[in-house]
Amino acid sequence: MGKKAIDILSIDVSKLINMLNAALSEEWLAYYQYWIGSRLMEGPMRSEIEPELLLHATQELNHAVLVVNRIIQLGGTPVINPKEWFKLTRCEYDEPADPYVEVILEQNLNGERCAIQRYKEIADFTNGKDHTTHQMATTILNEELEHENDIEEWITDINRMKEELRKIRL
Ligand SMILES: [Fe+2]
Ligand SMILES: [Fe+2]
């Protein structure tokens, strides 16, 4: 990033880089949690939900690309060792030990809510001070909000399906 570009940022750049490295760690963990969860998942609507979870996984990876690019532009060093991910993340990595679809969805939902909080904070921190990072954070935030909404809808659909089955049995 050019000298003038860094000068015009009226912001604590090292604090921002720390926040971005935490977000980067969370994206990789979210990517893997989605990806391995979709591979292991069992239960109702599996064939419908699995490709959607893989799409979410790809989108988390794209977020990681955006965040890394911004860290480098700001003159920072992106996390270079996965061991650091667990030190920097604030989101739980929920291992999908139980492959039941609803359990996997709940785990991913927690991850999305954690990501929403992260990008809200980055957006607030950079608001009016670093337009480029602010724009990136709001773009990613919008996708995380869509992810949360997708998962909530699948959980609602599964519950409705279970309710219908219960009525049939009565
Ligand atoms: Fe993400
Ligand atoms: Fe997400």
Side-chain angles (χ1 to χ4, degrees):
M1 193 162 154
K3 190 180 177 306
K4 181 69 182 167
I6 290 180
D7 280 353
I8 60 167
L9 302 174
S10 46
I11 203 165
D12 181 342
V13 175
S14 74
K15 188 175 175 196
L16 176 59
I17 289 168
N18 288 343
M19 291 167 99
L20 292 172
N21 262 323
L24 175 61
S25 304
E26 288 159 1
E27 291 293 359
W28 272 104
L29 292 168
Y31 168 78
Y32 193 69
Q33 192 177 310
Y34 266 120
W35 183 83
I36 197 69
S38 75
R39 294 278 164 237
L40 298 169
M41 200 170 58
E42 292 171 6
M45 291 172 63
R46 187 197 58 79
S47 55
E48 227 171 299
I49 294 173
E50 186 186 338
E52 298 292 331
L53 293 188
L54 284 175
L55 183 65
H56 281 199
T58 308
Q59 287 168 332
E60 308 306 1
L61 208 48
N62 290 338
H63 298 163
V65 173
L66 293 173
V67 173
V68 162
N69 288 346
R70 190 61 189 147
I71 291 170
I72 294 168
Q73 281 174 356
L74 289 166
T77 307
V79 174
I80 52 171
N81 190 330
K83 281 181 192 162
E84 295 293 314
W85 295 345
F86 289 96
K87 293 180 196 158
L88 293 171
T89 184
R90 216 168 44 185
C91 310
E92 285 290 319
Y93 175 81
D94 280 330
E95 55 178 81
D98 179 349
Y100 188 58
V101 58
E102 281 182 295
V103 178
I104 302 263
L105 289 177
E106 283 297 337
Q107 290 175 333
N108 290 335
L109 189 57
N110 289 338
E112 292 300 342
R113 288 177 177 157
C114 184
I116 288 167
Q117 184 61 31
R118 169 68 67 198
Y119 289 105
K120 187 207 170 290
E121 286 174 20
I122 295 174
D124 287 346
F125 188 67
T126 52
N127 193 19
K129 296 172 190 153
D130 171 358
H131 303 294
T132 310
T133 307
H134 185 258
Q135 204 170 41
M136 180 200 77
T138 51
T139 301
I140 298 176
L141 177 60
N142 282 333
E143 278 199 10
E144 308 298 16
L145 292 170
E146 278 175 30
H147 289 171
E148 182 196 36
N149 193 51
D150 288 345
I151 298 173
E152 285 176 350
E153 283 180 0
W154 295 323
I155 292 173
T156 304
D157 287 350
I158 290 172
N159 284 333
R160 196 163 295 151
M161 199 168 76
K162 285 180 3 190
E163 194 55 41
E164 293 301 320
L165 283 172
R166 214 167 294 146
K167 278 187 207 155
I168 292 167
R169 283 201 204 104
L170 287 173

